[in-house]
Each structure stands twice: as C-alpha cells, then as structure tokens.
C-alpha cells in the first residue's frame, strides 16, 4: 500500500497508535518520583493515570481506529480500578471522570486535558475512553467517524514526523 501523500510504500496500514506513558511522565526528573507499570502510572504519589482506548469508527468499515491514550483519575477511582483489575463483572462499574493526558500532536489543538469518561471493560480489556462532546477535532472524529483516507493521512503524519 502506498502513502497517498508521499508515495512511500507502507507495509500495512496501522489502525492503532499510542503513547508508552502519560505526557506528564516525560516532564518529571527520573528519580523515584514515577512508577509506570503496564497500564498504570503514578507520579509523586499524588497524580494517577490509567491507559485506555479511544475508539473511532471507520466509515464504511467494520473496523475501528484506536488511539491508545492515558487519562488522569482521582486517587479514589485509580485505586478502585486497580482493585477491580481481575474481578469478573467489573464492566458494570459506573464510568470514572478523567482528563486526557496524552498529547496527540497531529491535531491542530492540544489534546491534553480534554474531559473524558473512562468505561471499564471485561477482565483483560483496557478501558474505553469517551471524550466529552465538544467541537475539538478528536471529539468530532470519535462521534462522527473517519474515512479510510483519514486513517492513511494519520499514518503519514505519524510516520513522517519522527
């Protein structure tokens, strides 16, 4: 498959991109102030983050495009989500409020601190992140879906901005 923007060959079109840690993790000196374990992160024992997925429907496709992102939670909700990590039926838990803590630089407006709801999924699945319904381009894409051309554009922007 060729990138429609630069004609470089793409081996396959990725449908998921993400960040290894919350944005703020990279702004803290690496002493013993941070703890990052797979899908959970704590900074200074007072800032709590969980990783989840923003799913975006792809128009005229059964597939979804996914941003793997970090969201900050209150300490209470963070601890609760950890307690429920291996509990069957946890998907019935009420959603948690959180702030998006991943900068997706392909958007013209920062994605940091967008309001979210974190929906716990079945055991073994990361939470689904629902953005507040605003006019932010990411929220619009989550609500309305994107075309396969937009997926290709995202691949181009990510693969050629590094």
């Amino acid at each position: 498959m060729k990138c429609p923007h630069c004609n470089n060959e793409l081996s396959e079109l990725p449908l998921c991109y993400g960040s290894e840690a919350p944005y703020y993790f990279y702004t803290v000196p690496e002493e013993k102030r941070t703890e990052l374990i797979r899908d959970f992160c704590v900074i200074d024992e007072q800032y709590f983050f969980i990783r989840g997925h923003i799913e975006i429907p792809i128009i005229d496709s059964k597939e979804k495009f996914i941003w793997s992102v970090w969201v900050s939670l209150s300490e209470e909700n963070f601890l609760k989500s950890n307690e429920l990590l291996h509990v069957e039926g946890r998907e019935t838990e009420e959603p948690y409020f959180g702030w998006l803590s991943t900068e997706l630089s392909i958007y013209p407006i920062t994605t940091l601190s967008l309001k979210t709801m974190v929906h716990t999924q079945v055991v073994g699945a990361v939470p689904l992140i629902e953005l507040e319904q605003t006019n932010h381009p990411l929220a619009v894409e989550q609500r309305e879906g994107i075309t396969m051309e937009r997926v290709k554009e995202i691949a181009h922007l990510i693969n050629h901005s590094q």
Side-chain angles (χ1 to χ4, degrees):
M1 172 179 296
K2 285 191 183 285
C3 174
H5 303 281
C6 65
N7 277 339
N8 284 347
E9 199 63 39
L10 298 171
S11 57
E12 67 179 58
L13 190 59
L15 296 179
C16 182
Y17 294 96
S19 176
E20 296 298 316
Y23 174 83
Y24 307 101
F25 178 85
Y26 301 107
T27 66
V28 175
E30 275 193 53
E31 298 145 13
K32 291 187 176 183
R33 296 177 50 193
T34 60
E35 184 178 354
L36 177 64
I37 302 172
R38 195 176 161 166
D39 298 331
F40 301 95
C41 180
V42 178
I43 299 175
D44 288 339
E45 297 181 8
Q46 61 180 335
Y47 303 105
F48 304 90
F49 304 90
I50 189 169
R51 189 177 66 84
H53 288 165
I54 296 173
E55 290 187 349
I56 300 175
I58 299 173
I59 298 168
D60 297 328
S61 172
K62 292 182 179 169
E63 300 199 67
K64 294 186 186 291
F65 180 84
I66 296 171
W67 288 113
S68 184
V69 297
W70 291 85
V71 174
S72 66
L73 295 178
S74 68
E75 180 176 13
E76 177 185 348
N77 287 337
F78 179 82
L79 293 173
K80 195 176 209 182
S81 69
N82 272 281
E83 288 171 15
L84 297 173
L85 194 58
H86 301 291
V87 176
E88 294 295 328
R90 69 184 193 157
E91 63 275 13
T92 61
E93 181 74 10
E94 287 293 316
Y96 308 126
F97 174 80
W99 298 98
L100 190 59
S101 300
T102 299
E103 179 66 272
L104 300 173
S105 60
I106 69 153
Y107 292 96
I109 307 166
T110 185
T111 55
L112 291 175
S113 298
L114 292 176
K115 292 179 181 180
T116 69
M117 294 304 288
V118 178
H119 297 267
T120 304
Q121 301 299 296
V122 298
V123 172
V126 299
L128 290 180
I129 309 302
E130 176 187 9
L131 296 169
E132 178 182 45
Q133 294 195 11
T134 65
N135 288 329
H136 189 284
L138 178 57
V140 171
E141 288 183 344
Q142 184 179 40
R143 204 168 45 247
E144 298 179 3
I146 59 175
T147 63
M148 194 54 78
E149 283 306 307
R150 174 65 173 146
V151 174
K152 292 175 186 176
E153 178 185 14
I154 291 169
H156 171 80
L157 292 169
I158 289 175
N159 291 323
H160 299 303
S161 66
Q162 298 172 358

